Amino acid sequence: MAFPANYQKMKKYKITISGMHCASCASNIERSLKKIPGVKEASVSLMLKKGKVEAEDNVREEELRKAVERTGYKATGVESE
Amino acid sequence: MENMDNHHHEQPVEDDEIKDWRKKLLWSWVFTIPIALLMLSERIFGFEIIEMPYSIIVILILAFPIVFIFGHNTIKGGIRGLFTFYFNMDSLIALGTIVAYLTGIFSLFELVADYSGVSAMIMAFFTTGKYVEALARGRASQEIRKLLELGAKNARIIRGNKEYKIPISEVNVGDLMIVKPGEKIPTDGIVAKGESAVDESMVTGESLPVDKLKGSNVIGATINQDGILYVRATKVGRDTFLAHIIKLVEETQSEKIPIQKLADKITSIFVPLILGIAILTFVNWWYIGGDLSRAIGVGVAVLVIACPCALGLATPTALMVGSGMGARRGILIRKGEAIQTIKEVKTIVFDKTGTITKGKPEVREIYSKIKENYLLEIAGSLENLSEHPLSRAIVDKAKLKKYRKVTGFRILRGRGVEGRISGKEIIIGNTILMKEQRISTKDVDEKIRSFEEKGYTAIIVSENRKVLGIIGVADSVKEDSISAMFEMKEMGFKTVMITGDNEITARAIAKEVGINEIIANVLPEDKAKKVEELQKSSMVAFVGDGINDAPALKQSNVGIAMGTGTDIAIESGDIVLAKGSLGGVVSAIKLSRATFSKIKQNLFWAFAYNVIAIPLAVAGVLHPVIAEIAMALSSITVVTNANLLRRKEI
């Protein structure tokens, strides 16, 4: 009752990304991840080659992987926390 | 089994990337050098090695593998970006090199001048730049890699009287490990037997070895110095101190700092913007200048000179070097934002107990109107039921063999305790409690005052509403608190101590340490409120142990949490210090300042580069190859400059 009807549990993901080598790569991936409905926050680190995503519970790991690949990079691992 | 997961995925990525770029770089130059000789032969040797137009054909053949084979990934990624609208810098390089390459083919029909050699050189310099940049980026993360490599690989454990050497991933909580002199302690644990000194510098920054004996906590990855230790494992895998440090450092890396926002915004529109500028430049030169060849040359120069990399790398590389340097010294920057905010901080509030002082109060003086033994007996029995540090001090002093039976025990938060012993009403606590209970302290007021002036906390013991005596308890100041406080004053901070002690006691301690202001008589739950009040006049940093002052740490603009031995207060605090000394606060401030000024420098150079270089390219002043070299240098400069942060004394 305390939660609004559309309340979704948030989940955090850590994505390992390969193939990034420039700053615009990172911002492209962020943009692509944020386009997935349900993704609230996405931040990609070029230095760590990792992305951090905060998304609603119903977002599937496969969608995240696809979003990374759509921009031309590889998601070598998706872990949820 | 999933213990050592930190080890495999991070490290090889960087190395593979460097190796990959190196291979491409070498092959590119093997083909580029002959091209350069062909192109410049007339100027160098005074004759053409191969006559025109055959030389163009040779150059086209030589340039093909450079652009399309060694540069395959760049071309593929770039073209893909152009079609999917996820432009990246590969798109610029791909477009630039392909256009240049095609001119070679068209020049055979004498449509335009030949830039095919240029395409090879652009790709060769691009690859070289990326290689050097990858090397420098690898250097930027060296501290963090060292942290990852720090963990022990194996452990010697005892199972059923036998010693086994097993991989660290197979150690379970509860295993008894043997650590010989010079060996790494495999994982966090508690000493079960033996005595030794342990070098913890690699994780806490503490330079002196720390003595360990039965019951001491030890940290995995620290090095046992001289004795044999038997350690019972308490934490393994992801739960260890080292794993937490690594996690913290990694999290910082994916944090965005406010100052970076503009750069990020520009980065995200940079490539389409440059594409637009390049097209306009080309059209302009062709239409107005009327020279198609020249227009192509200038357009290509614009494409390849512009690079979002310097902008994008400016902040993360400096943050990487800074947070890595910190991690090696026991300073963990949890929120990247803190390094920017700390610049604005004018006031630093210190929690007293456990932060300025050791957090282990001891009884210093007793004034008793009756037999001291009796006073300690009832005080010890009552205080034994409380976990408060002041209570522990009294219990330790009393060292009772047998505790008296206490009924109706109650803790009066921030004031004291009460209960009944043999039917007598015992109330022990501070003057506030006495006043509240209307117990007269008139005859001992002077004594209380003298205790407080020495910096002792005066604990009054009463029986049936009559004062029996006073116990003076004090917590000694940490060794480096005084020098750290002096340095912080020198740096221009206003220092404030917050404590539950009363005014006089607090003032005595503040004077000893050299603190400007005190806020006394504060109940633990009110600390955050006091911080909020101070925030009305300036930004405030709060330094505390993170255990009972988490709300104050959160409320402050920069929360600095001090670790206590083997536990680091991860959830509270923007900056976490592994070692519980105030010297760490000074270092953290210095490190933050140095890192932030490096970030500013980097951003300045990156902006300046693009602001100057792009117009020059548009104006047609720069040859495309020179433009490409400038671009490669711009990102290398930024990363190298970030690496120079290491020269700073922290």
Side-chain angles (χ1 to χ4, degrees):
Chain A
M1 214 179 91
F3 303 123
N6 61 352
Y7 176 82
Q8 283 282 349
K9 231 182 116 219
M10 296 304 273
K11 231 173 153 183
K12 279 182 183 166
Y13 295 92
K14 210 157 104 183
I15 313 174
T16 316
I17 301 163
S18 73
M20 272 195 290
H21 58 263
C22 75
S24 53
C25 306
S27 75
N28 274 340
I29 298 173
E30 280 175 16
R31 192 154 59 94
S32 174
L33 285 168
K34 280 182 192 161
K35 273 190 190 157
I36 304 172
V39 169
K40 286 280 166 288
E41 206 31 70
S43 129
V44 175
S45 157
L46 172 64
M47 296 294 289
L48 289 176
K49 311 205 178 302
K50 273 193 186 148
K52 234 173 43 180
V53 174
E54 210 176 302
E56 281 167 9
D57 224 5
N58 56 357
V59 173
R60 285 173 303 123
E61 290 186 10
E62 200 43 44
E63 291 178 79
L64 300 176
R65 207 183 284 270
K66 278 212 181 102
V68 173
E69 270 148 32
R70 185 160 61 214
T71 53
Y73 310 95
K74 254 211 191 85
T76 50
V78 181
E79 282 171 62
S80 63
E81 276 178 24
Chain B
M1 289 293 123
E2 75 271 273
N3 291 335
M4 295 287 283
D5 61 354
N6 280 318
H7 285 246
H8 33 262
H9 35 108
E10 333 269 327
Q11 209 182 325
V13 182
E14 202 81 47
D15 288 344
D16 284 353
E17 190 187 332
I18 292 171
K19 263 191 218 140
D20 189 42
W21 284 117
R22 182 165 52 206
K23 205 172 73 193
K24 285 180 191 164
L25 148 92
L26 290 174
W27 280 107
S28 299
W29 284 106
V30 165
F31 288 81
T32 306
I33 290 167
I35 293 178
L37 288 176
L38 280 176
M39 285 167 67
L40 303 172
S41 63
E42 221 189 295
R43 256 186 265 168
I44 301 174
F45 311 112
F47 65 92
E48 288 177 346
I49 301 175
I50 304 172
E51 263 173 56
M52 288 279 257
Y54 304 108
S55 71
I56 296 179
I57 297 173
V58 175
I59 289 174
L60 278 171
I61 293 169
L62 286 171
F64 186 84
I66 303 172
V67 177
F68 297 99
I69 299 177
F70 314 132
H72 174 251
N73 282 339
T74 309
I75 298 287
K76 197 180 85 184
I79 302 272
R80 192 190 168 122
L82 287 175
F83 286 109
T84 54
F85 287 92
Y86 284 107
F87 305 111
N88 57 29
M89 75 158 305
D90 287 349
S91 312
L92 300 175
I93 299 296
L95 200 60
T97 48
I98 291 171
V99 168
Y101 188 84
L102 292 178
T103 58
I105 297 170
F106 290 123
S107 74
L108 294 175
F109 309 102
E110 299 190 348
L111 295 170
V112 286
D114 166 39
Y115 284 104
S116 58
V118 169
S119 76
M121 284 187 189
I122 290 174
M123 192 56 94
F125 276 113
F126 174 73
T127 311
T128 311
K130 280 289 156 193
Y131 168 68
V132 177
E133 188 195 304
L135 274 184
R137 270 197 279 138
R139 233 186 352 261
S141 58
Q142 74 182 21
E143 277 92 357
I144 288 153
R145 293 218 241 169
K146 274 185 199 147
L147 272 179
L148 292 171
E149 287 160 12
L150 208 56
K153 306 268 178 292
N154 299 299
R156 264 182 241 277
I157 63 157
I158 301 181
R159 272 180 196 159
N161 284 334
K162 262 196 177 157
E163 191 183 309
Y164 297 93
K165 198 168 176 183
I166 58 168
I168 185 74
S169 57
E170 288 171 22
V171 175
N172 296 316
V173 170
D175 278 342
L176 188 63
M177 309 177 285
I178 313 167
V179 192
K180 295 182 177 162
E183 284 183 349
K184 263 182 199 171
I185 293 172
T187 191
D188 296 0
I190 188 161
V191 177
K193 205 171 96 186
E195 275 180 34
S196 184
V198 172
D199 176 6
E200 296 186 340
S201 59
M202 59 295 284
V203 287
T204 65
E206 172 64 63
S207 53
L208 294 172
V210 184
D211 289 328
K212 301 288 180 186
L213 38 104
K214 195 180 168 199
S216 303
N217 286 311
V218 290
I219 304 170
T222 58
I223 294 169
N224 182 20
Q225 305 281 79
D226 42 19
I228 294 183
L229 287 175
Y230 291 78
V231 177
R232 181 86 55 199
T234 52
K235 281 172 189 162
V236 294
R238 286 168 195 247
D239 303 326
T240 62
F241 190 75
L242 183 64
H244 279 158
I245 290 183
I246 291 167
K247 190 168 175 248
L248 277 185
V249 174
E250 283 198 352
E251 268 175 22
T252 316
Q253 273 307 307
S254 41
E255 286 272 329
K256 304 264 171 180
I257 302 181
I259 194 175
Q260 185 185 359
K261 278 206 181 109
L262 179 64
D264 276 355
K265 214 168 251 165
I266 295 176
T267 309
S268 65
I269 55 157
F270 193 86
V271 177
L273 192 74
I274 296 304
L275 282 173
I277 294 176
I279 291 167
L280 284 178
T281 307
F282 168 74
V283 170
N284 198 48
W285 276 85
W286 187 19
Y287 190 71
I288 297 169
D291 184 347
L292 176 62
S293 301
R294 182 104 174 90
I296 291 174
V298 176
V300 169
V302 173
L303 285 175
V304 301
I305 202 163
C307 172
C309 276
L311 278 173
L313 289 170
T315 313
T317 45
L319 191 58
M320 176 71 106
V321 176
S323 61
M325 283 169 73
R328 301 280 293 169
R329 290 166 173 78
I331 304 162
L332 305 159
I333 301 167
R334 200 173 140 252
K335 286 258 154 66
E337 212 182 315
I339 64 160
Q340 181 167 357
T341 320
I342 212 163
K343 250 177 43 85
E344 314 293 327
V345 166
K346 297 271 185 306
T347 309
I348 308 180
V349 181
F350 298 87
D351 182 37
K352 191 203 85 178
T353 308
T355 303
I356 294 174
T357 62
K358 287 180 177 158
K360 287 203 182 74
E362 298 157 3
V363 173
R364 290 288 167 80
E365 204 177 327
I366 297 172
Y367 167 76
S368 186
K369 296 209 277 187
I370 47 144
K371 259 186 150 176
E372 199 177 293
N373 280 351
Y374 180 70
L375 185 84
L376 281 174
E377 195 181 342
I378 58 162
S381 299
L382 210 64
E383 298 285 13
N384 191 41
L385 301 171
S386 158
E387 284 299 317
H388 196 282
L390 291 176
S391 306
R392 298 324 308 166
I394 294 173
V395 173
D396 287 348
K397 177 73 185 178
K399 281 207 197 89
L400 297 178
K401 292 216 171 68
K402 244 187 93 191
Y403 293 98
R404 298 282 296 267
K405 192 167 173 260
V406 179
T407 55
F409 177 78
R410 237 169 27 115
I411 292 175
L412 307 157
R413 240 174 112 70
R415 290 161 298 162
V417 291
E418 63 171 26
R420 285 185 169 273
I421 293 177
S422 312
K424 287 173 183 159
E425 184 191 28
I426 314 289
I427 297 174
I428 304 175
N430 56 20
T431 47
I432 301 172
L433 181 64
M434 296 303 136
K435 229 174 257 165
E436 225 175 68
Q437 298 283 338
R438 297 177 204 281
I439 296 170
S440 165
T441 53
K442 222 174 194 172
D443 52 336
V444 287
D445 272 347
E446 207 162 300
K447 204 74 212 167
I448 293 172
R449 215 185 153 81
S450 84
F451 272 24
E452 288 172 345
E453 274 164 1
K454 288 183 208 164
Y456 303 164
T457 304
I459 298 170
I460 302 144
V461 185
S462 76
E463 184 184 69
N464 284 342
R465 320 196 74 75
K466 284 219 163 53
V467 175
L468 294 184
I470 315 158
I471 302 175
V473 180
D475 187 2
S476 35
V477 166
K478 285 181 191 167
E479 280 85 11
D480 71 342
S481 288
I482 298 172
S483 60
M485 215 53 86
F486 179 76
E487 262 194 271
M488 278 181 265
K489 267 192 184 168
E490 290 279 284
M491 290 164 118
F493 291 106
K494 184 171 104 177
T495 52
V496 179
M497 179 176 89
I498 197 163
T499 172
D501 291 344
N502 72 25
E503 196 86 28
I504 304 168
T505 307
R507 210 166 285 288
I509 296 164
K511 206 174 148 201
E512 184 188 346
V513 195
I515 245 175
N516 300 97
E517 270 181 41
I518 53 155
I519 305 176
N521 293 318
V522 182
L523 293 174
E525 57 266 36
D526 291 338
K527 284 181 194 165
K529 225 187 285 166
K530 296 286 171 195
V531 169
E532 203 180 341
E533 278 165 31
L534 286 167
Q535 279 172 321
K536 281 173 194 153
S537 48
S538 79
M539 288 253 211
V540 173
F542 185 90
V543 186
D545 60 12
I547 298 162
N548 54 31
D549 38 23
L553 284 167
K554 278 228 174 78
Q555 173 63 40
S556 64
N557 301 93
V558 179
I560 303 176
M562 289 218 174
T564 44
T566 50
D567 245 336
I568 33 179
I570 299 224
E571 286 312 316
S572 44
D574 305 308
I575 295 174
V576 177
L577 303 177
K579 181 174 63 162
S581 84
L582 286 184
V585 178
V586 177
S587 307
I589 295 168
K590 284 187 185 163
L591 178 71
S592 302
R593 286 183 174 176
T595 309
F596 190 65
S597 77
K598 213 25 125 189
I599 289 174
K600 276 208 301 201
Q601 246 176 48
N602 266 351
L603 284 172
F604 172 79
W605 285 116
F607 273 113
Y609 166 77
N610 281 300
V611 167
I612 296 168
I614 296 170
L616 284 179
V618 170
V621 184
L622 299 173
H623 185 272
V625 174
I626 303 291
E628 175 55 39
I629 294 172
M631 187 281 272
L633 285 177
S634 75
S635 47
I636 293 168
T637 312
V638 162
V639 183
T640 308
N641 188 35
N643 277 316
L644 288 180
L645 181 57
R646 275 196 200 88
R647 296 218 179 141
K648 272 266 178 197
E649 290 275 338
I650 300 297

